[in-house]
Amino acid sequence: MMQPVLPPACYTEQGWFDREQEKIFGKLWLLAGLTQQLQAENDFIVRNFSGVPVLIQNAGGTLRAFRNACAHRGMPIQIADCGNRRLVCPYHGWSYNGDGQLRGIPNEKIYGLCKKEQANLKLHSYAVETVGNFVFVNLSDDPLPITEQFSDDLLLLLREVSPHFAPEVSYSTFTGHYNWKLNFENILDWNHFQFVHRQSLAPLLEFEGDGGPGEPLTQHSPFFRPGSALADVRFSRGGPPAESVRLKDLSIIKRYAMPYRRRWFAKLLDRTLDPGAFFDCNIFPNVNFGSIHGEHFYLQQFVPTAPDRVEYHSWVFTARLKDGVPPQPHLLWGIHHAEKGVVDEDVVLFNALQKALESASTIGVMGDHETSITAIGHWYKRHLTEENARNVLMAGDGSHHP
């Protein structure tokens, strides 16, 4: 038995939320989207992180990230959530080059800006890292290397599975009335499957005598079989040591036994990439990525907007289709609809738990299988209460020197 690390205040109070925005979401690499959404010149997506409007745009084949605000009056350059449009302010027509530098001003003379002043005008940019098809943005002026946030195993997995993604993606978002950490803790907790998802997810899985999920085989998996690029990836059954946890220990990869049942759309796919298994990447601070049999993939992100409110972002897509098979929007809709049903089973409980935490002075006890949740709690408290937050990021490692 373990005592919970975080008090209820970490889930309910504005002060803790403000520190999270500064020291976690303002410092770490955050998922922005997928390259499938940014294939063509001038394709863009717009996100909001920690109250910061962020624009990610395909500029001549290079992905760039900017504050979504014109250098003139701060008007968003792109109004829609996604689309294809040049970097032109819709308010007064100021335009920008792919690197964010001011390109031109209609009715230039009325502004009274000399050439030197114009040369100094540009969009505020942010660091971008693409790992396979996954696009990450960092809002810090001095971003840490992404290899200090994520393990080699996780980065390798994201790169190796990406070439197998179909180009078509279904994307949706909704608002939840609970703290974002409840989502991330929940994806670490396999023990809730048999109780919360009794009729949806649990019947698809295989459980052992102690109630834990079964171990899947690897020899039939193109992803993980011996000799494959991912053969040596380490899967977690619990979590890292609670007291000595490093930042890169907070993201873990899990793989569970899921007896293979051929689904109707398998015949449309180029191949089944991980039959008999369900793998899941819990990517700190707020992302969950995984696959069912390597036939379809899900990507979820929990973006905090208030201590008791979260934007839930969801992407689903399949493995590559066979040559000649047209896009299958009805299939993606069906997969997304089924996934939302599972998510809703969690959300009902998160809403109730959030209300209970608002009046709680303590949280109960935790089991030995919940070490990954307590490890995050230790890192969280140390990081958010330590004055030198940058050094704390790599406590126990010492590999990053600002």
Side-chain angles (χ1 to χ4, degrees), residues 65-85:
F66 307 104
R67 183 179 176 89
N68 191 22
C70 180
H72 173 211
R73 298 265 294 276
M75 172 63 64
I77 299 294
Q78 306 292 12
I79 302 296
D81 290 337
C82 61
N84 182 283
R85 183 177 173 276

Side-chain angles (χ1 to χ4, degrees), residues 193-210:
F193 294 164
Q194 297 178 76
F195 307 100
V196 181
H197 309 301
R198 189 185 303 272
Q199 296 181 335
S200 53
L201 178 59
L204 305 178
L205 295 170
E206 187 175 275
F207 295 92
E208 297 178 345
D210 63 356

Side-chain angles (χ1 to χ4, degrees), residues 197-311:
H197 309 301
R198 189 185 303 272
Q199 296 181 335
S200 53
L201 178 59
L204 305 178
L205 295 170
E206 187 175 275
F207 295 92
E208 297 178 345
D210 63 356
E215 292 275 7
L217 301 174
T218 59
Q219 60 263 37
H220 302 300
S221 171
F223 274 158
F224 302 109
R225 66 189 173 199
S228 70
L230 298 174
D232 296 325
V233 166
R234 292 160 293 179
F235 300 105
S236 172
R237 297 290 289 181
E243 298 295 339
S244 60
V245 66
R246 304 169 304 167
L247 174 59
K248 65 172 60 177
D249 294 327
L250 302 183
S251 298
I252 63 175
I253 307 168
K254 301 173 295 187
R255 189 166 175 264
Y256 305 133
M258 176 178 276
Y260 184 62
R261 299 180 180 90
R262 184 177 172 85
R263 294 178 286 181
W264 70 266
F265 62 89
K267 64 181 182 290
L268 306 178
L269 305 176
D270 185 53
R271 64 198 304 200
T272 294
L273 296 158
D274 195 25
F278 155 37
F279 80 73
D280 201 44
C281 302
N282 309 142
I283 305 173
F284 189 79
N286 65 339
V287 170
N288 189 38
F289 163 67
S291 171
I292 305 297
H293 302 305
E295 292 179 339
H296 87 260
F297 301 87
Y298 57 87
L299 180 63
Q300 304 158 344
Q301 186 177 34
F302 329 117
V303 179
T305 58
D308 61 350
R309 195 161 60 250
V310 62
E311 284 184 356

